[in-house]
């Protein structure tokens, strides 16, 4: 995120759907399922022009994988947005009911009983 918001404003941002699809490449290292289908991504929106703001959570506030996920997110978005910001949110708390049908299938394939 070395470029400024002013620089980001001069570029065309990609559609939110395309960004959400790219974030499916970000895999939770502990569960082996992407962050979108796990229901960890609460919201995606553009602010200040082309700055992508991501509201997301983790399965637990004490999760030690924040840095790994931030790096994976940066890699997944590098060709889609110039600047992004992650807002780590804890309310509402994450629960397994947030997992999509696709995520549930992925977890069953990995041996989870869900």
């Amino acid at each position: 995120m070395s470029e400024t918001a002013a620089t980001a404003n001069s570029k065309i941002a990609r559609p939110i759907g395309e960004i959400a699809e790219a974030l499916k490449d970000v895999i939770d290292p502990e569960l082996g399922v992407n962050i979108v289908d796990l229901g960890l991504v609460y919201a995606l929106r553009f602010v200040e022009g082309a700055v992508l703001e991501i509201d997301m959570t983790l399965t637990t506030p004490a999760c030690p994988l924040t840095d790994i996920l931030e790096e994976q997110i940066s890699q997944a978005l590098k060709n889609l947005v110039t600047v992004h910001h992650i807002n780590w949110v804890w309310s509402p708390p994450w629960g397994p009911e947030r997992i999509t049908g696709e995520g549930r299938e992925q977890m069953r394939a990995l041996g989870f009983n869900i």
Side-chain angles (χ1 to χ4, degrees):
M1 287 195 278
S2 61
E3 295 187 50
T4 66
T7 303
N9 284 334
S10 68
K11 296 187 178 184
I12 298 172
R14 298 294 177 95
I16 292 291
E18 192 174 330
I19 291 166
E21 194 61 35
L23 289 175
K24 288 184 176 183
D25 289 340
V26 179
I27 306 299
D28 181 287
E30 290 182 318
L31 299 176
V33 177
N34 73 73
I35 62 173
V36 174
D37 287 321
L38 276 177
L40 299 178
V41 177
Y42 285 5
L44 299 169
R45 67 188 161 278
F46 286 102
V47 296
E48 300 177 22
V51 177
L52 176 67
E53 199 164 80
I54 305 166
D55 290 345
M56 72 176 283
T57 194
L58 299 169
T59 55
T60 174
C63 180
L65 303 172
T66 306
D67 292 341
I68 292 168
L69 289 173
E70 287 177 348
E71 179 57 33
Q72 284 187 41
I73 289 167
S74 291
Q75 288 301 308
L77 298 176
K78 70 180 176 183
N79 295 321
L80 298 176
V81 298
T82 305
V83 179
H84 72 275
H85 174 74
I86 301 170
N87 293 320
W88 294 103
V89 295
W90 309 109
S91 182
W94 179 87
E97 70 280 355
R98 297 192 61 89
I99 302 171
T100 66
E102 172 103 6
R104 290 176 188 281
E105 288 179 28
Q106 292 173 44
M107 291 188 78
R108 283 186 201 103
L110 292 169
F112 288 96
N113 184 17
I114 189 159

